[in-house]
Structure formats: structure tokens, C-alpha cells
């Protein structure tokens, strides 16, 4: 018996049957790989973490716990973003061959892959991947347990956080710590979160508005509520594919959250 790929591409921006405002530029593809390829990719992911002695045995975070039992761990392939200098640096570790079945299905050329392990309960703070360092598409392949990905239209508060001088070392992009948004601040109005479930073996492509003008993140919590059902989280892995740009100039249409535009406006004329 031959297996036939069922690739379901849902253009969420035009999905009118669901009464949510989905971000423009978001595409979710489920069942990206054949079961055989998915199985091989999962094994390679586990070997990569075992090679760095990262413990991936599933430790469930109890409901209501303040912190996950273990932290998110990242392995970088291809050029890397240096959080201390805000510049892109070479990285001797090339993108491994086992990622080829995914890479051949990507809509654009990429030169960087970030493999991450999210133990149950772990998340990633809401952020916009730095405009000037990365290309037009931010692509996330998910493996393992499903997780709710949260999108929010960026606000003036997001811009303030992004362009604050202090930046957190080791985050995936601009994720500085700062006070939570003031819910009474009119600039936060309409900042309605949209949750999208990313199942294992799915590909989430962010371009245009959702890439440049929305934040994305994963809440640190032990369970997700999906269609009214509470689902405990398990081990999740992701591979973020991006095109790292060495010239560091962004030409997007979203100046409010663009570090290239912000820098140009804040550099005094000589
Ligand atoms: O884990 C993911 O799916 C996304 C990670 C992410 O947002 C990032 O690396 O910038
Ligand atoms: Fe990101």
C-alpha cells in the first residue's frame, strides 16, 4: 500500500468560517511530511538534543505551577544573531542534512535554522523577530506535542519595548523585559490575541503583516484550551527557518516596528 500525502493548506486570512480576526500573512500547513519522514525527523531532533546532553525525558509541569520544570533549549545552525552586539555573526555549525525534507517544502530560500526544545509548560515571550536581521518570512516547523501559538497586533507599547536600549541576551529576537502593557492604555486597544494551535508536523509561515506588525509567542503554561477542551502539553520541538541578512537593512511597509526606520529617525544628521 502506498501512502499519499494529505497536505492541507489553510490560508487563515481568508478563512471566513471562523469568527476570529486572523492575522494577515499567516499560513498553516498540517501534515507537512509523510509519516516516515516525520518519524526520521523526530529521531534526528532527539539525537541532536542528546548530543548536547539535553534531557528530553518528558517531565509534566503540574497544573497551576508558576514555572515549568525545565527551560527551553535552542541549537543554532547557520549564521547566528549575537544579542550582545545586535549583529549577525558566522556560525560554524551548518544546517544538517536531515532537515532537507522540510527545507524542500519551504516557500522561500533560508540560510538559518534554530532547533528548539520546549519541555511541557515552557513558552517564549511575545516578540517580533528583528526586521533588519531576518528576511520577509519567519517559518516555524513544529514536532511533537501541539501548542497554542499566540499572535497579537503590535502596539506602541511593543515598539517601546523593542527600541528600549536594554535587550535580553539569549532570546530569539527582541524580547526585552519590561512592565506588562497597561490595559487602560488606549494604544493597547484592539490588541486582541489570536491563538492558533500548531500541531506536530505542521508548518507555520509568517509573512507581511503578521511577520512585521504582530507579535508571536507561546504562554508558559501546563495546558492549552482548544475548542473548549483542556489539553495537557507534552514535549514540543520546533525548527525556526529564517533568511539572515548580513546587510541589516529592512524595507518593509511597517515603520512603527522596524528597527531600520527607527535607527534612521534617531540618528542625528551630521
Ligand atoms: O518555537 C516556535 O515555533 C517559534 C520560535 C520563535 O518565535 C523564534 O525562534 O523566533
Ligand atoms: Fe519568533
Amino acid at each position: 500500500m502506498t501512502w499519499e500525502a494529505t497536505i492541507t493548506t489553510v490560508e487563515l486570512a481568508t478563512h471566513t468560517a471562523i469568527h476570529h480576526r486572523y492575522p494577515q500573512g499567516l499560513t498553516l500547513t498540517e501534515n507537512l511530511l509523510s509519516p516516515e519522514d516525520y518519524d526520521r525527523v523526530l529521531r534526528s531532533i532527539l539525537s541532536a538534543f542528546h548530543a548536547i546532553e539535553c534531557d528530553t525525558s518528558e517531565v509534566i509541569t503540574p497544573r497551576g505551577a508558576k514555572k515549568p520544570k525545565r527551560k527551553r533549549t535552542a541549537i543554532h545552525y547557520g549564521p547566528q544573531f549575537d544579542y550582545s552586539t545586535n549583529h549577525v555573526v558566522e556560525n560554524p555549525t551548518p544546517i544538517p542534512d536531515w532537515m532537507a525534507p522540510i527545507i524542500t517544502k519551504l516557500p522561500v530560500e533560508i540560510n538559518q535554522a534554530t532547533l528548539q526544545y520546549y519541555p511541557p509548560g515552557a513558552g517564549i515571550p511575545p516578540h517580533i523577530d528583528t526586521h533588519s536581521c531576518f528576511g520577509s518570512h519567519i517559518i516555524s516547523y513544529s514536532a511533537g506535542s501541539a501548542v497554542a501559538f499566540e499572535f497579537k497586533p503590535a502596539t506602541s507599547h511593543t515598539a517601546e519595548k523593542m527600541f528600549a536600549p536594554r535587550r535580553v541576551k539569549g532570546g530569539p529576537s527582541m524580547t526585552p523585559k519590561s512592565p506588562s502593557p497597561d490595559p487602560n492604555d488606549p494604544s493597547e486597544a484592539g490588541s486582541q490575541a489570536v491563538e492558533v494551535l500548531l500541531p506536530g508536523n505542521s508548518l507555520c509561515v509568517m509573512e507581511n503583516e503578521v511577520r512585521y506588525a504582530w507579535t508571536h509567542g507561546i504562554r508558559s503554561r501546563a495546558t492549552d484550551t482548544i475548542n473548549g477542551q483542556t489539553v495537557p502539553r507534552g514535549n514540543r520541538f520546533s525548527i525556526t527557518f529564517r533568511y539572515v541578512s548580513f546587510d541589516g537593512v529592512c524595507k518593509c511597509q511597517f515603520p512603527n516596528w522596524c528597527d531600520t526606520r527607527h535607527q534612521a529617525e534617531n540618528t542625528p544628521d551630521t
Side-chain angles (χ1 to χ4, degrees):
M1 199 176 79
T2 54
W3 183 87
E4 268 187 31
T6 28
I7 297 175
T8 327
T9 304
V10 185
E11 178 58 67
L12 291 171
T14 56
H15 203 300
T16 47
I18 299 169
H19 300 291
H20 284 299
R21 184 183 161 220
Y22 281 112
Q24 190 275 327
L26 177 66
T27 310
L28 182 66
T29 305
E30 293 186 36
N31 301 321
L32 185 80
L33 303 179
S34 68
E36 294 81 8
D37 279 349
Y38 181 42
D39 192 56
R40 272 192 285 269
V41 162
L42 267 173
R43 282 172 209 263
S44 303
I45 289 175
L46 289 173
S47 309
F49 284 107
H50 294 168
I52 62 158
E53 291 179 9
C54 169
D55 183 2
T56 54
S57 58
E58 210 161 277
V59 179
I60 303 293
T61 297
R63 269 188 92 165
K66 284 230 162 59
K67 282 211 170 122
K69 291 208 165 174
R70 258 191 240 133
K71 282 194 184 154
R72 179 168 53 92
T73 304
I75 305 176
H76 302 275
Y77 304 97
Q80 228 179 304
F81 185 69
D82 183 332
Y83 297 91
S84 56
T85 61
N86 295 347
H87 282 102
V88 175
V89 290
E90 295 286 354
N91 171 16
T93 316
I95 296 177
D97 288 344
W98 60 260
M99 289 186 186
I102 309 168
I103 294 173
T104 53
K105 293 181 188 296
L106 302 183
V108 288
E109 190 193 339
I110 54 93
N111 61 3
Q112 188 204 46
T114 305
L115 174 62
Q116 303 199 68
Y117 166 47
Y118 293 77
I124 186 166
H127 63 278
I128 298 176
D129 289 50
T130 310
H131 286 200
S132 67
C133 298
F134 305 110
S136 58
H137 290 62
I138 307 293
I139 305 173
S140 172
Y141 176 76
S142 296
S145 176
V147 80
F149 217 48
E150 191 175 280
F151 297 92
K152 265 188 165 191
T155 63
S156 57
H157 181 80
T158 315
E160 243 171 67
K161 282 201 296 182
M162 283 170 68
F163 304 128
R166 195 159 72 93
R167 295 166 71 119
V168 171
K169 243 183 141 179
S173 49
M174 296 176 164
T175 54
K177 287 219 170 32
S178 88
S180 302
D182 174 0
N184 300 319
D185 176 353
S187 68
E188 294 298 325
S191 155
Q192 184 86 50
V194 174
E195 280 197 338
V196 175
L197 185 74
L198 302 187
N201 196 19
S202 71
L203 192 76
C204 172
V205 177
M206 294 171 260
E207 59 183 311
N208 295 320
E209 207 176 305
V210 75
R211 184 267 180 265
Y212 290 115
W214 286 59
T215 64
H216 57 270
I218 300 168
R219 283 182 190 267
S220 296
R221 62 185 181 205
T223 57
D224 285 317
T225 302
I226 296 140
N227 297 333
Q229 260 200 312
T230 303
V231 184
R233 283 193 193 162
N235 271 345
R236 174 183 185 252
F237 303 91
S238 73
I239 313 174
T240 309
F241 295 102
R242 298 178 277 211
Y243 191 90
V244 172
S245 141
F246 282 92
D247 69 8
V249 173
C250 176
K251 299 190 181 94
C252 73
Q253 305 299 311
F254 305 91
N256 290 357
W257 300 281
C258 182
D259 56 313
T260 297
R261 243 56 68 78
H262 183 263
Q263 208 182 0
E265 280 157 22
N266 290 280
T267 306
D269 294 337
T270 44

